[in-house]
Structures are given as C-alpha cells and as structure tokens.
C-alpha cells in the first residue's frame, strides 16, 4: 500500500492524536484501545507489514467493490463510512475516530467492500495486512473476543442510529447524537469537539446541513448549548435529555422535523 502525502485539510479535529510521537506502526498499534490487552508477540505479528497511511481531505481509503487488503486503525483525524442512499445520494453511516478500527468485515469474510470510506480532513492510519490480522487472532483468543465485542457494539450503534434518525424531529436526532458524544468522551465539563465538519454530521443524522445549523442555533438561543465552530458545550444536559422523550415543551421553539 502506498503512502499518500498530505496536501490540504478541512478544519482539524482536536481530539487526541494517537500517532503523535509514535516512532513506528508497532508503537501506534500498541496504543490502540482494542490492542491494549495483547502481548508483545501479538503486536509483533500485527506489525509485520504494517505501515502508516497519510491521507488528505476527502481522499478514499477503499472503494465499494474493491477487495479487502487489511485492517485500518485511526491514529489521527476521522474517517467516514459511506453508502449510497435510495435516491443515489451519498450518505454517512458511521464515523471512525482516533483509536477506532474499520475494515474488519472484509478481513474476516474476504468479500469485497459494499461500502466506501473517505478521510475527514488530514488523516493518519495504520494499515495491517489481512493475513497478519488473521494470524494474530489465531494466536490470541482474547483479541478475537474483543474484536467480536467491538463489531457487535458497532452493529448496535447502527441499529440505534436507524431508530433515532429515520423520521422524528430533527432536534431529537441532534440531542441523541450530542448525548452519545458526551458519554463516549466521558468528560464532566459538558464539552464536545465534533469529529467532523457539520455537513458530515448532518449526513450522519439524516439531516440537511441547514436543518442541523438551525437546530443548533435554536438550542443556543434556548440556553442549552454554546457553539463555537466544532466545539460545543452542553450547558443544560437535563434539558437536552428531555428532547429524547419527545416532550413538546422541551423542543426548541423553532425546531424543524428535518
């Protein structure tokens, strides 16, 4: 796999960069959450043939219909998983952030990709060849179990996302997403940094960019949020959570169904 040189980038994501100070792909792999329980021999196996991949904004990692080459770990930036909607419009179905992995379905099934992926801004990945992943899983049963848990968690998130983004008020979709980001970030100060530009987040939530901006603006006016670019601070978490009950009294006055 060739290394793609960074060119231009969208507004950078300021989440922790796992590749920072990583001297080698093995060093970066050792920092990935899913690999923290693996021994040195497993990391050595994964590192054989592993390499950094540096991508510029909107660059493709793999295309729909292409054969799987291996597993990707996100060190810095974010990657969007794309599908084609019913009217042929591209839609974001998931975002992979630092510490995340993707491409595992192709690794284990050997089938060509049915989705495609793009870099969100400047991205640094570690690519591990498919044969090395399969060898490592054969060596480490606990790694196999952790990957199974991770895949099941992704499936559950996608199911939950379908339930929250298909129909329903736009404000409810936005509230659900922001609360999930708060829980995943495990921060007590109510601060969130969106992992991608608002246009990408809107696609993920099955909203137009204009509707997402309108909902955020209304929530700011209601005193629920403060927003500065991709930085969002939840000032009233209880009020945000009330939106999930479809309580009309909690909905922003000018919220639009989407």
């Amino acid at each position: 796999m060739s290394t793609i040189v960074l060119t231009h980038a969208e507004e950078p994501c300021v989440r922790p960069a796992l590749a920072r100070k990583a001297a080698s792909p093995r060093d970066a792999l050792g920092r990935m959450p899913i690999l923290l329980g693996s021994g040195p021999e497993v990391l050595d196996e994964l590192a054989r043939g592993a390499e950094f991949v540096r991508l510029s904004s909107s660059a493709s990692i793999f295309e729909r219909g292409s054969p799987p080459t291996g597993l990707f770990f996100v060190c810095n930036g974010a990657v969007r998983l794309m599908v084609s909607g019913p009217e042929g419009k591209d839609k974001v179905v998931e975002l992979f952030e630092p510490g995340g992995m993707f491409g595992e379905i192709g690794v284990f099934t050997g089938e060509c990709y049915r989705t495609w992926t793009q870099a969100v801004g400047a991205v640094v990945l570690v690519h591990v060849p498919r044969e090395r992943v399969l060898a490592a899983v054969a060596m480490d049963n606990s790694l196999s179990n952790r990957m199974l848990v991770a895949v099941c968690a992704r499936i559950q998130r996608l199911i939950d996302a379908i339930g929250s983004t298909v129909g329903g008020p736009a404000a409810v979709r936005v509230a659900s997403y922001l609360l999930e980001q708060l829980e995943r970030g495990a921060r007590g100060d109510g601060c969130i940094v969106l992992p991608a530009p608002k246009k990408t987040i809107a696609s993920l939530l099955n909203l137009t960019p204009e509707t997402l901006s309108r909902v955020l603006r209304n929530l700011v006016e209601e005193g629920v949020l403060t927003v500065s670019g991709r930085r969002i601070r939840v000032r009233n978490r209880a009020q945000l959570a009330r939106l999930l009950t479809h309580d009309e009294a909690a909905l922003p006055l000018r919220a639009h169904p989407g």
Side-chain angles (χ1 to χ4, degrees), residues 1-16:
M1 176 175 293
S2 60
T3 298
I4 302 176
V5 179
L6 291 173
T7 54
H8 65 287
E10 299 178 33
E11 179 184 350
C13 177
V14 296
R15 290 178 183 268

Side-chain angles (χ1 to χ4, degrees), residues 11 24 31 62 67 78 81 95 104 117 125 137 165 210 254:
E11 179 184 350
S24 66
R31 303 178 189 184
F62 58 74
L81 182 70
L95 283 170
E104 67 276 8
T117 47
L125 311 172
V137 167
T165 62
E210 294 77 15
R254 291 159 297 282

Side-chain angles (χ1 to χ4, degrees), residues 94 96 150 152-162 180 184:
E94 191 164 5
F96 302 106
C152 289
R154 280 184 58 199
I155 292 172
Q156 187 60 57
R157 285 198 303 271
L158 289 173
I159 291 172
D160 293 342
I162 291 172
E180 179 189 1
R184 291 175 61 186

Side-chain angles (χ1 to χ4, degrees), residues 60-99:
S60 174
I61 296 96
F62 58 74
E63 297 287 348
R64 181 176 181 176
S66 62
T69 60
L71 191 60
F72 296 88
F73 294 90
V74 183
C75 298
N76 193 15
V79 172
R80 53 190 166 218
L81 182 70
M82 310 285 292
V83 298
S84 182
E87 297 179 355
K89 184 178 180 181
D90 294 349
K91 173 172 169 44
V92 180
V93 292
E94 191 164 5
L95 283 170
F96 302 106
E97 302 174 49

Side-chain angles (χ1 to χ4, degrees), residues 180-225:
E180 179 189 1
Q181 290 295 301
L182 278 179
E183 292 174 3
R184 291 175 61 186
R187 294 182 54 163
D189 58 3
C191 291
I192 300 167
V193 178
L194 297 179
K198 294 186 181 74
K199 180 178 180 180
T200 299
I201 302 300
S203 178
L204 183 67
L205 300 179
N206 201 29
L207 299 172
T208 65
E210 294 77 15
T211 297
L212 174 60
S213 294
R214 182 164 54 249
V215 170
L216 290 175
R217 183 170 60 251
N218 293 342
L219 289 170
V220 168
E221 292 174 358
E222 296 289 332
V224 180
L225 308 174

Side-chain angles (χ1 to χ4, degrees), residues 102-250:
F102 62 96
E104 67 276 8
I105 294 177
V107 166
F108 292 113
T109 66
E111 298 179 357
C112 292
Y113 295 117
R114 300 170 71 175
T115 57
W116 67 95
T117 47
Q118 291 179 329
V120 178
V123 173
V124 180
L125 311 172
V126 174
H127 174 264
V128 179
R130 180 173 180 249
E131 61 272 18
R132 300 278 69 83
V133 177
L134 296 177
V137 167
M139 293 169 59
D140 185 353
N141 185 62
S142 64
L143 174 59
S144 176
N145 290 337
R146 291 197 301 275
M147 286 193 170
L148 179 60
V149 169
V151 172
C152 289
R154 280 184 58 199
I155 292 172
Q156 187 60 57
R157 285 198 303 271
L158 289 173
I159 291 172
D160 293 342
I162 291 172
S164 63
T165 62
V166 176
V172 174
R173 305 182 213 176
V174 174
S176 177
Y177 178 77
L178 294 178
L179 289 169
E180 179 189 1
Q181 290 295 301
L182 278 179
E183 292 174 3
R184 291 175 61 186
R187 294 182 54 163
D189 58 3
C191 291
I192 300 167
V193 178
L194 297 179
K198 294 186 181 74
K199 180 178 180 180
T200 299
I201 302 300
S203 178
L204 183 67
L205 300 179
N206 201 29
L207 299 172
T208 65
E210 294 77 15
T211 297
L212 174 60
S213 294
R214 182 164 54 249
V215 170
L216 290 175
R217 183 170 60 251
N218 293 342
L219 289 170
V220 168
E221 292 174 358
E222 296 289 332
V224 180
L225 308 174
T226 56
V227 178
S228 177
R230 282 161 60 176
R231 294 177 181 272
I232 296 176
R233 181 172 178 268
V234 178
R235 299 174 58 193
N236 191 331
R237 186 166 183 163
Q239 180 77 355
L240 195 64
R242 282 181 62 197
L243 295 175
L244 303 187
T245 68
H246 297 261
D247 182 352
E248 292 187 1

